[in-house]
Amino acid sequence: KAGVTQTPRYLIKTRGQQVTLSCSPISGHRSVSWYQQTPGQGLQFLFEYFSETQRNKGNFPGRFSGRQFSNSRSEMNVSTLELGDSALYLCASSSGQDHTGELFFGEGSRLTVL
Amino acid sequence: GENVEQHPSTLSVQEGDSAVIKCTYSDSASNYFPWYKQELGKRPQLIIDIRSNVGEKKDQRIAVTLNKTAKHFSLHITETQPEDSAVYFCAARYNYGQNFVFGPGTRLSVLP
């Protein structure tokens, strides 16, 4: 079974631009969560999508948005990029239906904002 | 909302020694507590978890203990090996369908 795939793996943007990141979950998984990882801040929860609906949302500004498609693939978008948005963005998929909800992470998309 | 603290932020141990990482959570209703290991340049992976109706769980050299009264849970690694060197994240979840809240992580270095 293929793992969670994220694209692109690396990207460089300048302040004010926007970026779209993509995540393909494990086949059969209906939940996709997005996390921002920065040194010293751990894994900050952005949002979770389940069956094309946003089920949970973290404390990030409205510049961060996401969506999920009918095949469970998800995208997140960051508009009007700021220097502080430089981070590793991880997505994680889970079945979304079991009591533990183990998260299976992708390798991440490393965003650098100049 | 839920808040998870994790200590220490860095930990160095000699190979063969034990390592303990402790996390505290704020929401007494949280009922599921996983631990993830992230090796350098790799994705986080689940290594062990515990539910609120259990006090301790073991899997070979790793164990997790939970104290619901004090609202803290700990990861114990015995007979540490160089391959245990990684960042470890604890997490808590209030309920099925809710998001996980992660601690800030502990960087464990096992010195040969």
Side-chain angles (χ1 to χ4, degrees):
Chain A
K1 186 182 277 190
V4 178
T5 304
Q6 290 187 246
T7 58
R9 293 290 315 282
Y10 302 91
L11 64 166
I12 300 173
K13 294 286 187 178
T14 57
R15 279 182 301 174
Q17 288 187 311
Q18 73 164 13
V19 65
T20 298
L21 309 178
S22 179
C23 174
S24 293
I26 290 173
S27 177
H29 283 186
R30 295 167 61 186
S31 168
V32 174
S33 301
W34 288 89
Y35 292 85
Q36 181 193 67
Q37 184 174 26
T38 54
Q41 294 298 313
L43 299 165
Q44 300 293 311
F45 174 73
L46 283 154
F47 29 66
E48 182 213 1
Y49 286 87
F50 178 78
S51 294
E52 301 181 66
T53 301
Q54 187 180 84
R55 185 159 70 171
N56 293 292
K57 187 177 187 303
N59 297 320
F60 277 80
R63 300 185 297 107
F64 292 81
S65 62
R67 60 178 176 169
Q68 187 179 36
F69 302 95
S70 58
N71 61 358
S72 292
R73 188 177 71 86
S74 177
E75 290 181 347
M76 68 163 281
N77 183 276
V78 188
S79 62
T80 320
L81 285 166
E82 300 177 359
L83 295 178
D85 296 333
S86 294
L88 179 68
Y89 291 87
L90 290 164
C91 84
S93 76
S94 70
S95 68
Q97 300 180 86
D98 60 81
H99 292 289
T100 59
E102 178 180 354
L103 298 176
F104 294 85
F105 285 89
E107 294 186 289
S109 293
R110 184 166 296 281
L111 170 65
T112 301
V113 182
L114 303 176
Chain B
E2 176 65 279
N3 181 53
V4 178
E5 296 182 355
Q6 183 171 349
H7 298 282
S9 58
T10 61
L11 179 61
S12 294
V13 299
Q14 290 294 136
E15 182 177 356
D17 287 350
S18 295
V20 180
I21 303 170
K22 181 178 177 179
C23 288
T24 58
Y25 59 97
S26 60
D27 192 336
S28 57
S30 290
N31 60 14
Y32 175 63
F33 310 92
W35 285 88
Y36 284 81
K37 174 184 180 182
Q38 185 177 30
E39 297 179 28
L40 188 62
K42 297 189 176 181
R43 68 191 79 191
Q45 290 187 301
L46 178 72
I47 56 170
I48 195 167
D49 57 13
I50 191 168
R51 298 183 61 81
S52 59
N53 59 347
V54 176
E56 183 177 6
K57 183 177 179 181
K58 290 183 179 180
D59 183 4
Q60 300 183 344
R61 296 186 298 107
I62 61 173
V64 56
T65 57
L66 172 66
N67 183 326
K68 287 190 296 182
T69 302
K71 291 190 287 186
H72 67 70
F73 56 111
S74 300
L75 177 70
H76 305 255
I77 306 175
T78 59
E79 300 173 18
T80 53
Q81 301 169 4
E83 53 264 38
D84 295 328
S85 295
V87 177
Y88 292 81
F89 294 99
C90 62
R93 188 178 68 182
Y94 163 61
N95 203 356
Y96 161 69
Q98 300 297 312
N99 61 278
F100 290 94
V101 177
F102 282 84
T106 296
R107 182 174 299 279
L108 172 65
S109 299
V110 179
L111 309 174

